[in-house]
């Protein structure tokens, strides 16, 4: 009986307490929008950005944030230095080298450029028509990010 209780407790905790953030690709979101219209949250980052990595390990690990993103938005985790071509909104976007083994993706520039520059991390919110409704370029802790998500749900 004790083993059965522990087994039920373990599966109950792992199935509800540790939900993961469901990420999509731009191509998947194009298809998903045909089924159910939702705002799109694009997290634009790089591997070398410390604030980006901190957001990944704190903000995007917060259970309330995960639940809100999974239930009400499409979430795209987008590395600005992605080298593959991406088709989104009936356009093809490519990686643009800027030097030896460095560059930036055209789509990151289109979605993340603020005041003629891109500073990571960038949070870009698109409406159901893939129009930019919000761009924010800075680290967001879970509390501040939750406020933004709540306003977007209105």
């Amino acid at each position: 009986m004790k083993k059965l209780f522990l087994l039920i407790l373990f599966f109950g905790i792992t199935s509800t307490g540790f939900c993961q953030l469901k990420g999509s690709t731009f191509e998947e979101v194009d298809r998903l929008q045909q089924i159910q219209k939702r705002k799109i949250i694009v997290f634009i980052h790089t591997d070398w950005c410390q604030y980006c990595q901190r957001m990944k390990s704190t903000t995007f690990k917060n259970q309330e944030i995960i639940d809100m993103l999974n239930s009400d938005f499409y979430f795209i985790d987008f590395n600005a230095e992605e080298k593959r071509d991406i088709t989104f909104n009936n356009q093809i976007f490519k990686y643009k080298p800027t030097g030896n083994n460095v560059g930036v993706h055209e789509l990151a520039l289109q979605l993340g450029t603020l005041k003629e520059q891109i500073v990571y991390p960038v949070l870009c919110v698109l409406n159901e028509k893939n129009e930019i409704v919000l761009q924010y370029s800075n680290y967001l802790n879970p509390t501040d990010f939750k406020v933004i998500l709540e306003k977007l749900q209105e």
Side-chain angles (χ1 to χ4, degrees), residues 64-65 68 141-151:
E64 282 184 285
I65 301 296
M68 290 173 82
N141 64 41
T143 304
D144 294 339
F145 191 48
K146 184 179 173 198
V147 169
I148 290 172
L149 292 178
E150 287 170 344
K151 289 198 182 299

Side-chain angles (χ1 to χ4, degrees), residues 7-107:
L7 199 60
I8 292 170
L9 181 66
F10 173 75
F11 284 113
I13 289 172
T14 56
S15 66
T16 59
F18 300 108
C19 292
Q20 292 196 343
L21 183 56
K22 295 175 192 159
S24 300
T25 64
F26 285 98
E27 293 85 358
E28 288 169 337
V29 166
D30 268 344
R31 286 191 299 276
L32 290 169
Q33 288 287 37
Q34 307 290 328
I35 300 164
Q36 182 180 12
K37 299 286 188 190
R38 291 185 180 181
K39 289 184 177 81
I40 304 165
I41 308 285
V42 184
F43 176 59
I44 305 168
H45 61 86
T46 65
D47 292 336
W48 49 263
C49 166
Q50 291 179 3
Y51 292 108
C52 302
Q53 300 312 314
R54 195 163 104 200
M55 262 186 89
K56 282 183 165 193
S57 65
T58 58
T59 306
F60 293 115
K61 297 287 185 195
N62 179 285
Q63 195 59 52
E64 282 184 285
I65 301 296
I66 291 169
D67 292 342
M68 290 173 82
L69 287 172
N70 286 347
S71 65
D72 299 321
F73 303 94
Y74 294 123
F75 177 75
I76 300 173
D77 183 358
F78 182 42
N79 186 333
E81 296 171 330
E82 172 74 46
K83 290 188 169 68
R84 72 177 179 88
D85 291 357
I86 296 173
T87 303
F88 177 63
N89 207 21
N90 298 318
Q91 283 185 270
I92 297 174
F93 298 90
K94 298 177 178 291
Y95 174 78
K96 293 293 183 190
T98 56
N100 278 343
N101 213 17
V102 292
V104 67
H105 204 281
E106 289 175 329
L107 190 50

